[in-house]
Amino acid sequence: MNATTLPATGAGTRDIVDARADRGFRWLVTGAGVVVLVSLAAAALSMLWGGRAAFQKFGIAFLWRDEWNPVLQEFGALVPIYGTLVTALIAMLIAVPISFGIAMFLTEIAPKWLRGPVGAAIELLAGIPSIIYGMWGLFVLVPFLAEYVYPWVDENLGEIPFIGMFFSGPPLGLGMGTAGLVLAIMVIPFISSVMREVFLTVPTRLKESAYALGSTTTEVVWDVVLPYTRSAVIGGIFLGLGRALGETMAVTFVLGNAHRLTASLLEPGNSIAATIANEFTEADSPMYLSSLIALGFVLFLVTFVVLTIARLMLRQLAKKEGN
């Protein structure tokens, strides 16, 4: 009888210990999630509280005012918002196709002996500090563009109706176009790494079946690989977009930091992060400082809206795939 009761008692004790450990682990990971939410809310509320003076004076019009005059204490966020969105858009237009090509090359075309070195190079690019990109852009890319590229762009594209206003201007080398190009180089490693990893999750049988039916590599990519990984690819693209929206030092070096609204990509502009980085130490009045903190809150809102749109797109794609 003792031989039958001891194992039962031991099993019951183990169940109790496992249940306690499971509850403890559940509370631990729940606490980690709560820390993220609390940190996010604390950051947003602290910036909102710090910028309350600017919002009280200018109201919601702070978002579309283009004045930025510390002497007269007149501030507005339109120019930094415009510069942030334009440079991020340029970066995405350049980075997404190149990242897609890199991922496709590494997963479908490159020989096995080449995939390792190229993949390692991409990871090394992702680890380079942003200030290094900014210094390279200022001392190498800006002189090259000012001497060889932007004069040709201004002469040949600046006179085209409707689109000429985007490509006309003095070939200074500094400007929103240069900032977008530097941002594209920065986010390419992140987007291409995500795409490569998700492309590797496509079952080999699916691709082999398509090849067996006579499909070309292009058809396999567009008809098999992309539909299978569409949601993850979009998520990787928005991850790179979030990095582009919040980048500071690299953009500050090459953007020109001119607080004016211009359609030309060749002329200097400004962004939210660059404005804060350049002028935070020069804020000599409470309203000046409050306006800079309010810009930080606006950047938080812009990033939040972009990521929310990404989540909604992924949810809609998930519903379609489920149907």
Side-chain angles (χ1 to χ4, degrees):
M1 183 176 296
N2 291 336
T4 58
T5 56
L6 288 177
T9 304
T13 303
R14 181 176 180 179
D15 291 340
I16 295 174
V17 173
D18 291 343
R20 290 177 178 175
D22 186 64
R23 285 196 300 269
F25 180 75
R26 187 179 303 172
W27 281 107
L28 182 64
V29 296
T30 302
V34 171
V35 166
V36 173
L37 295 177
V38 170
S39 301
L40 185 65
L45 292 176
S46 63
M47 288 185 293
L48 181 61
W49 179 257
R52 68 188 185 280
F55 288 123
Q56 288 174 355
K57 179 178 180 180
F58 306 112
I60 192 65
F62 179 78
L63 299 178
W64 54 78
R65 287 170 55 92
D66 59 354
E67 298 88 354
W68 192 267
N69 192 329
V71 177
L72 299 178
Q73 299 291 292
E74 295 292 335
F75 301 99
L78 179 60
V79 174
I81 292 175
Y82 173 76
T84 300
L85 296 178
V86 169
T87 53
L89 178 61
I90 295 172
M92 290 298 102
L93 291 176
I94 298 174
V96 171
I98 295 177
S99 300
F100 177 77
I102 293 173
M104 279 293 98
F105 174 75
L106 291 177
T107 56
E108 301 295 332
I109 300 174
K112 292 184 178 180
W113 61 269
L114 187 60
R115 296 179 181 179
V118 175
I122 293 174
E123 294 174 357
L124 287 176
L125 285 175
I128 296 177
S130 61
I131 193 172
I132 302 300
Y133 283 105
M135 294 175 65
W136 170 81
L138 180 62
F139 295 114
V140 178
L141 186 61
V142 167
F144 175 79
L145 294 176
E147 185 174 356
Y148 299 106
V149 179
Y150 283 170
W152 182 91
V153 171
D154 179 49
E155 182 179 354
N156 294 274
L157 302 180
E159 301 299 328
I160 299 177
F162 301 110
I163 67 171
M165 61 179 179
F166 298 108
F167 302 103
S168 62
L172 302 176
L174 298 170
M176 290 187 291
T178 306
L181 181 57
V182 172
L183 281 177
I185 297 174
M186 290 184 62
V187 301
I188 281 174
F190 295 93
I191 301 176
S192 59
S193 297
V194 173
M195 287 186 177
R196 181 189 61 177
E197 295 300 325
V198 298
F199 288 164
L200 290 175
T201 63
V202 179
T204 306
R205 293 182 179 180
L206 291 179
K207 294 186 289 186
E208 291 179 348
S209 300
Y211 284 123
L213 293 174
S215 300
T216 62
T217 302
T218 304
E219 292 173 339
V220 170
V221 169
W222 288 105
D223 298 332
V224 177
V225 176
L226 275 181
Y228 191 87
T229 60
R230 181 170 49 191
S231 298
V233 167
I234 294 177
I237 292 173
F238 276 94
L239 175 65
L241 178 58
R243 172 69 189 275
L245 288 172
E247 179 53 42
T248 304
M249 294 309 301
V251 175
T252 304
F253 272 90
V254 299
L255 188 54
N257 306 311
H259 201 90
R260 58 183 177 182
L261 200 61
T262 175
S264 175
L265 303 180
L266 277 59
E267 295 186 16
N270 219 333
S271 70
I272 296 177
T275 301
I276 296 173
N278 281 323
E279 303 186 24
F280 198 81
T281 56
E282 301 176 1
D284 55 359
S285 66
M287 182 57 64
Y288 195 179
L289 181 61
S290 178
S291 298
L292 291 174
I293 298 176
L295 276 182
F297 180 73
V298 171
L299 180 59
F300 176 86
L301 290 181
V302 171
T303 306
F304 179 78
V305 170
V306 170
L307 295 181
T308 301
I309 294 174
R311 295 296 301 177
L312 293 176
M313 291 179 61
L314 293 176
R315 182 175 300 179
Q316 291 297 323
L317 289 175
K319 290 182 179 179
K320 293 181 179 179
E321 293 172 358
N323 293 333

